[in-house]
């Protein structure tokens, strides 16, 4: 059976109303990335960083999964050998029905203690003075990966890329490493590569490109894979 690794980005949640980062009017045109998405920015102004992620969390919790999330869950349920990796910090894959989701950039719905490493479900609103439920330190942060930090689950992802037959990137601009390099990594191990995106992110980088909004293109592709 063909083993498939799927990497999703902000484009898969765009039709659920969550903004992307680099499209016109995207998050990084409205916020200074170095202030809100780095450990240094958090050290300088934790309240501003919490405000940024409190808004991300509220938007994510108020959003509903779309047809692309649901189709990927249908694919995972219908066959073995599908590894779903996401750069997204929202929980829309899970609420769309996916059981196993690898959140390489963490989850905005989770909290992390910078002092003891404990993790727990984040409250809707986090603040700099919040105490860690495990050690009591006022060192809590959203459990997301910032620029300059190492993404989560990299060994597991490398293993899946090395043994997959098909690598599919959906709704990601391919600008942020290491995720941006997964296509080359998979290809080096002999996998076919497919991009599904509103517009091709890098012509020539993938064996095949399917253009269009994820809500239409992903269910169609899942039907193709399942022969439905
Ligand atoms: P980007 O904002 O960089 O890219 C979003 C991609 O989705 C673009 O290629 C769009 O063309 C595409 N897109 C937009 N709407 C779409 C739709 N309706 N259907 C299909 N595709 C659509 O977002 P990411 O690639 O996810 O990291 O960004 C990667 C990382 O950069 C994020 O995880 C985040 C960010 O900085 C951190 O914060 C560490």
């Amino acid at each position: 059976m063909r083993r498939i690794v799927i990497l999703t980005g902000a484009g898969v949640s765009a039709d659920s109303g969550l903004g992307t980062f680099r499209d016109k009017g995207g998050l990084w045109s409205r916020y200074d990335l170095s202030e809100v998405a780095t450990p240094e920015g958090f050290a300088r102004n934790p309240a501003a960083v919490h405000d940024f992620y409190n808004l991300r969390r509220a938007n994510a919790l108020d959003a509903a999964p779309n047809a692309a999330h649901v189709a990927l869950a249908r694919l995972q349920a219908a066959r073995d050998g599908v590894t779903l990796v996401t750069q997204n910090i929202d929980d829309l894959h899970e609420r769309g029905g996916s059981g196993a989701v690898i959140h390489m950039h963490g989850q905005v719905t989770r909290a992390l203690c910078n002092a003891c490493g404990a993790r727990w479900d984040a409250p809707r609103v986090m603040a700099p003075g919040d105490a860690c439920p495990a050690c009591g330190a006022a060192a809590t942060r959203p459990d997301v990966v910032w620029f300059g930090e190492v993404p989560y689950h990299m060994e597991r992802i490398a293993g899946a890329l090395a043994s997959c037959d098909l690598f599919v990137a959906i709704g990601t601009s391919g600008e942020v490493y290491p995720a941006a390099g997964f296509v080359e990594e998979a290809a080096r191990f002999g996998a076919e590569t497919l991009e599904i995106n509103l517009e091709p992110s890098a012509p020539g980088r993938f064996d095949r490109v399917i253009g269009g909004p994820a809500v239409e293109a992903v269910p169609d592709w899942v039907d193709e894979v399942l022969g439905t």
Side-chain angles (χ1 to χ4, degrees), residues 9-11 14-15 20-23 28 87-88 105 145 147 171-174 176 197-199 212-214:
D15 288 314
T20 63
F21 295 95
R22 294 174 183 80
D23 289 307
W28 294 153
Q87 299 166 89
N88 297 341
H105 288 169
V145 174
F147 288 91
T172 175
S173 61
V176 177
N197 203 315
L198 207 47
E199 291 158 16

Side-chain angles (χ1 to χ4, degrees), residues 8-16 18-23 26-28 33 36-37 52-53 66 68 86-89 104-105 144-149 151 170-177 179 195-201 210-218:
T8 64
V12 88
S13 294
D15 288 314
S16 293
L18 301 182
T20 63
F21 295 95
R22 294 174 183 80
D23 289 307
L27 281 175
W28 294 153
L33 178 161
V36 298
F52 177 75
Y53 286 99
N66 65 48
T86 188
Q87 299 166 89
N88 297 341
I89 58 175
M104 64 177 291
H105 288 169
V144 299
V145 174
W146 288 323
F147 288 91
E149 297 182 322
I170 304 175
T172 175
S173 61
E175 299 232 359
V176 177
Y177 284 83
E195 171 172 39
I196 301 178
N197 203 315
L198 207 47
E199 291 158 16
S201 68
I210 300 175
V215 281
E216 292 170 13
V218 175

Side-chain angles (χ1 to χ4, degrees), residues 98-134:
S98 282
V101 186
I102 300 177
H103 280 275
M104 64 177 291
H105 288 169
Q107 293 174 269
V108 76
T109 50
R110 301 278 292 164
L112 167 67
C113 176
N114 255 342
C116 75
R119 289 184 158 86
W120 63 98
D121 285 338
R124 193 172 169 104
V125 177
M126 294 183 70
D130 290 348
C132 167

Side-chain angles (χ1 to χ4, degrees), residues 137-160:
T140 64
R141 56 172 279 183
D143 189 11
V144 299
V145 174
W146 288 323
F147 288 91
E149 297 182 322
V150 180
Y152 297 158
H153 313 298
M154 287 308 294
E155 267 185 39
R156 210 172 135 204
I157 295 169

